[in-house]
Amino acid sequence: MPASGLVLLGEMRGSGYRTPPALVQRPNGQTVQLTRLLYLVLEAIDGRRTYAQIAEVTSAAYGRQVAAADVQQLAEARLRPLGLLRAADGSEPQVQKSNPLLALRLRWVVSDAAVTRRITAPFARLFAPVLVAVIVAAFLVISAWLLFTKGLGSATYQAFDQPLLLLVVFAITVFSAGFHEFGHASACRYGGATPGAMGMGLYLVWPAFYTDVTDSYRLGRPGRLRVDLGGLYFNALMGVAMYAVWFATRWDALLLILAAQLLQMVRQLAPMVRFDGYHTLADLTGVPDLYARIGPTLRSLVPGRPTEPRAAELKPWARAVVTTWVLLIVPLMLFTLALMVLALPRVLGSAWHSVQAQAHDLSVDWSGGDATGVAVRLLAVVAVALPILGTLLILARLVRQLTTTTWKRTQGRPGRRAVAGVLAAALVAGLAWAWWPDANRYRPVQPFERGTVLDSIPAAGIGNPQLRDGQIASAPHTVWASATAPPTKDHPELALVLVPKGSGGTTGSRPAWVFPFNRPSAPGAGDTQALAVNTTNGSSLYDVAFALVWADGPSVTNRNEAYAFASCTSCQTVAVAFQVVLIVGHANVAIPQNLSGAVNYSCMKCVTYALAQQLVLTVPGELSSDARARLDALWQQITAYAAHLRDVPLDQIRTQLLAYQEQITTIVTAAATSPGATPGPGPTDGASASPTPGSPGAVSSSPTANATGAPAPATAPAGGTTGAGQSGPVPSPTVDASPTTAVDPTPTATATTTP
């Protein structure tokens, strides 16, 4: 009696075998290949016929005489062990399902076969040849426009600048992965086959969707290829639809979804794992079990060994394609595995560093009540953790499979087991060498590193034929013999060079001073200074100084300074100083100073920007614990913003700092007007609007230096919060250090307060 749920798929059309096999799907979903004779015997077994009757039916279909004893032998020795027949007592067969390394696990059915057939029926019409041609052509044109004309810079910025949009992009990308499976099922339905269940599971540790299209084996080669590529076609549909939405709304963040479709399509086409590319190659050759051919193909290539039956049963052209695939895929898999092992320490270090940074940002967003920011940070942590877990899972399962297989194959063979033990010890020693903790092995990947393949090899001298910025090495030279040629640019060597102070080179960590004026004085107590001096071509240098100062003396003379000086080519130099001075008690003199300067000297194609933002407020007595907690939480958020200031466009920095000033003023003002607040010296509202001394009305003077070749605007809020001098691209080396008067166009800005 055949097992329940058995599906006879018939002979495989378009096969790469010399004799096409017949296919049978077991109840557990696996497909079994049978010879034509075995398939005819299984087809004749119905639980009522005797072996003699089965032999008679089989002989008529096979064209050759088959005896009843032969049928019994085939049924008991071949079909029943494969789990295709019930046991003698009528019970269902117990078949252990194979457990490949790269298999989908924990499957959860979302729609059964009946539901899948019903919901995919309308989508089958999308496979009309004319419509396919139009959609594919449109997708290719849109992709070329996105990659080579539009670009993804504005889309990336908009998505990360507005975390809610990033969540929308993520949700639609996940939906498109499920829509991809609709493509497979709809193509199966269009070709005349019946799609099965659709659902999701875990591929290693990554969530993945799946569709059962086993019935597509009934189709010919063109029909199976349509099913294989149907998911990619639906990715193209999603890309065209997202472009249409972008065209209507101009939300650049939506273009990231189109980029995600391209990345998903490239990943799916990789023939190394069981994605669409693997199945496409299998159906092109008519050999559905490519991985099972790796061993027989490699053994058949050994000189002096006969060709194994599993390799010889393929047609010559199919065998040539499979052999080429094996010769390409095996080294690639071994290379990927080795690279995974060698790079694991650096990857772990980078992941830990990233998780710590995201955890800090998460705490800031949580304390600030930013739900969207919290969700984005959680997604970032998950995105960092999943690849690490997947890598560790692959390595653990691989070690377990190799250990189990080796132990079984060397059982009763002490010589081979001893050799296997030696190889295992060598493997453990190699892993210890690659993973042993030292000062640099687990350090995070740095921006200056190239990240080439050879760079991942932790052996001295390997992968480092040239010294480069940021390289960590050992045993530097300090003295060369007179007869030894010194190092050159083409043949560098690591050396320890001592430069006398004042020699014109670098002094400590301070860059060489090449500008025709003196270096700004060092900041004093209670002062804030951001000083960015850039003399390195092609570099980007930021110096950020944020400070919250509590002043309780008789005089307030705090200085807030931002200086950006550049003498380089194609470089960016940014200095941002943000100072908040809270005056507690009575101050007889209040003369805060806010200065900024941006200078280019012999600088070509430079962007030089300096921003000094200062807020001075009188605190009305002791702040309440609630006000102090709110102020501390806000300053923690401001500190986190300063840590990532490099990622903020220059034209948005001042706007954000003004927003922070307004929030600080609101907290202090609320503390002044709340019941029970103790009034301090000065106006009763806690923030008088008297202008800074020396400024007429709401006008504030700020010495700024511009080297742009054209005036750069510097704005300041009324009452002494000065703006910035900034510079853009420089057509020729010029210096302009003249003061600029700053006038605030929005008089509602917070004013400096004095008692």
Side-chain angles (χ1 to χ4, degrees):
M1 183 71 177
S4 300
L6 211 63
V7 180
L8 304 180
L9 299 175
E11 184 179 286
M12 182 178 179
R13 299 164 58 185
S15 169
Y17 295 82
R18 296 178 185 271
T19 302
L23 303 178
V24 178
Q25 184 181 10
R26 292 195 303 203
N28 61 8
Q30 288 186 314
T31 303
V32 180
Q33 296 183 27
L34 299 177
T35 63
R36 182 166 179 265
L37 178 58
L38 282 173
Y39 185 84
L40 292 175
V41 171
L42 179 62
E43 191 176 36
I45 296 175
D46 60 1
R48 297 186 300 271
R49 294 190 179 106
T50 64
Y51 285 123
Q53 293 173 328
I54 296 173
E56 182 178 353
V57 173
T58 303
S59 299
Y62 192 54
R64 296 175 59 183
Q65 186 64 33
V66 180
D70 297 332
V71 170
Q72 184 177 4
Q73 176 67 18
L74 292 174
E76 299 298 332
R78 301 291 300 277
L79 297 177
R80 202 179 301 278
L82 290 174
L84 304 178
L85 298 178
R86 296 184 185 180
D89 59 0
S91 61
E92 294 294 336
Q94 300 296 323
V95 180
Q96 184 177 3
K97 190 173 182 178
S98 63
N99 187 26
L101 180 64
L102 302 175
L104 190 68
R105 306 176 189 284
L106 300 179
R107 298 192 180 194
W108 175 52
V109 175
V110 177
S111 65
D112 57 23
V115 175
T116 300
R117 288 193 296 270
R118 185 168 61 254
I119 62 178
T120 57
F123 294 98
R125 302 170 185 172
L126 296 175
F127 285 91
V130 175
L131 184 58
V132 170
V134 172
I135 293 296
V136 171
F139 179 74
L140 292 176
V141 171
I142 293 171
S143 300
W145 166 82
L146 176 65
L147 297 177
F148 300 106
T149 302
K150 172 65 175 177
L152 292 169
S154 60
T156 304
Y157 165 73
Q158 190 180 81
F160 284 91
D161 183 61
Q162 304 178 43
L164 185 59
L165 278 179
L166 186 61
L167 293 178
V168 172
V169 169
F170 177 79
I172 297 178
T173 302
V174 172
F175 169 79
S176 69
F179 192 62
H180 173 96
E181 299 304 320
F182 267 72
H184 294 305
S186 301
C188 188
R189 183 71 182 267
Y190 180 83
T194 303
M198 298 175 62
M200 61 184 302
L202 287 181
Y203 190 75
L204 296 177
V205 295
W206 291 278
F209 297 93
Y210 74 90
T211 303
D212 183 2
V213 290
T214 307
D215 198 56
S216 65
Y217 281 116
R218 300 179 185 273
L219 308 176
R221 182 180 287 117
R224 295 200 303 272
L225 290 175
R226 184 191 301 112
V227 174
D228 297 332
L229 300 175
L232 300 179
Y233 172 55
F234 269 45
N235 284 129
L237 279 171
M238 176 64 71
V240 173
M242 286 300 102
Y243 174 79
V245 176
W246 171 85
F247 190 82
T249 63
R250 300 294 173 169
W251 291 346
D252 284 358
L254 295 176
L255 296 177
L256 289 180
I257 302 173
L258 179 55
Q261 304 308 304
L262 289 170
L263 290 176
Q264 184 178 7
M265 294 169 77
V266 172
R267 180 180 66 90
Q268 287 285 347
L269 285 173
M272 194 169 108
V273 291
R274 287 185 173 90
F275 289 155
D276 293 353
Y278 171 89
H279 295 296
T280 300
L281 180 62
D283 286 327
L284 277 173
T285 59
V287 183
D289 53 348
L290 290 176
Y291 276 117
R293 306 285 164 176
I294 292 179
T297 300
L298 291 177
R299 289 190 292 269
S300 299
L301 294 175
V302 177
R305 288 185 61 116
T307 302
E308 294 206 1
R310 298 212 66 183
E313 65 184 0
L314 300 180
K315 295 177 181 178
W317 70 268
R319 182 181 173 189
V321 173
V322 172
T323 301
T324 303
W325 177 79
V326 169
L327 293 178
L328 291 175
I329 211 68
V330 170
L332 182 59
M333 294 178 70
L334 293 175
F335 173 77
T336 303
L337 178 62
L339 193 62
M340 183 188 304
V341 170
L342 294 174
L344 183 61
R346 299 297 307 280
V347 173
L348 288 175
S350 301
W352 177 246
H353 177 75
S354 178
V355 168
Q356 286 181 313
Q358 295 297 334
H360 175 268
D361 294 341
L362 176 63
S363 65
V364 173
D365 291 335
W366 181 272
S367 62
D370 186 357
T372 303
V374 170
V376 171
R377 302 304 174 192
L378 289 175
L379 285 177
V381 171
V382 172
V384 171
L386 281 182
I388 301 300
L389 294 176
T391 300
L392 296 177
L393 181 60
I394 289 177
L395 295 177
R397 292 198 61 204
L398 186 61
V399 170
R400 186 181 65 182
Q401 287 189 3
L402 286 176
T403 303
T404 304
T405 302
T406 303
W407 185 263
K408 290 181 179 180
R409 293 188 176 182
T410 58
Q411 190 171 6
R413 299 177 178 179
R416 293 189 176 184
R417 182 161 289 184
V419 172
V422 172
L423 293 177
L427 178 62
V428 171
L431 291 177
W433 166 77
W435 294 349
W436 193 264
D438 61 21
N440 299 312
R441 186 149 294 169
Y442 286 86
R443 62 187 175 92
V445 177
Q446 302 299 320
F448 58 76
E449 297 185 76
R450 296 180 302 172
T452 62
V453 171
L454 292 178
D455 289 340
S456 64
I457 302 177
I462 297 180
N464 299 304
Q466 299 270 338
L467 295 179
R468 62 186 184 278
D469 293 342
Q471 177 182 338
I472 296 178
S474 58
H477 288 85
T478 55
V479 178
W480 272 269
S482 59
T484 303
T488 64
K489 181 178 180 180
D490 296 330
H491 300 87
E493 291 188 47
L494 185 65
L496 177 62
V497 180
L498 301 179
V499 180
K501 184 176 181 180
S503 64
T506 303
T507 303
S509 60
R510 299 172 66 184
W513 187 258
V514 298
F515 303 94
F517 48 84
N518 294 332
R519 182 188 296 269
S521 301
D527 296 340
T528 305
Q529 185 183 89
L531 176 60
V533 181
N534 195 353
T535 58
T536 303
N537 295 337
S539 65
S540 179
L541 177 65
Y542 276 66
D543 191 33
V544 180
F546 281 29
L548 175 62
V549 182
W550 294 82
D552 57 0
S555 63
V556 178
T557 59
N558 302 79
R559 292 168 61 95
N560 184 53
E561 303 169 314
Y563 301 112
F565 304 140
S567 180
C568 42
T569 301
S570 300
C571 56
Q572 183 181 36
T573 310
V574 177
V576 178
F578 179 53
Q579 184 186 65
V580 177
V581 181
L582 301 181
I583 303 176
V584 181
H586 184 72
N588 297 322
V589 179
I591 312 177
Q593 298 184 60
N594 193 49
L595 308 174
S596 64
V599 174
N600 288 341
Y601 180 69
S602 298
C603 198
M604 301 296 294
K605 300 180 180 178
C606 304
V607 175
T608 308
Y609 179 87
L611 170 64
Q613 198 80 22
Q614 185 184 50
L615 174 66
V616 182
L617 290 173
T618 297
V619 179
E622 187 71 22
L623 292 180
S624 66
S625 58
D626 178 66
R628 187 59 183 263
R630 291 171 57 200
L631 184 61
D632 290 343
L634 176 58
W635 192 256
Q636 186 179 15
Q637 182 180 352
I638 295 173
T639 303
Y641 174 77
H644 298 87
L645 199 67
R646 180 182 293 267
D647 302 325
V648 180
L650 298 181
D651 60 348
Q652 296 185 10
I653 296 177
R654 184 170 182 270
T655 302
Q656 183 60 56
L657 295 183
L658 289 174
Y660 285 140
Q661 286 187 184
E662 184 176 352
Q663 295 180 56
I664 294 173
T665 305
T666 300
I667 293 175
V668 174
T669 303
T673 58
S674 61
T678 303
T684 57
D685 64 357
S688 66
S690 58
T692 300
S695 300
V699 179
S700 170
S701 258
S702 172
T704 60
N706 294 297
T708 62
T715 60
T721 304
T722 62
Q726 63 182 13
S727 65
V730 183
S732 60
T734 59
V735 176
D736 175 13
S738 59
T740 302
T741 300
V743 181
D744 185 13
T746 55
T748 58
T750 305
T752 302
T753 60
T754 56

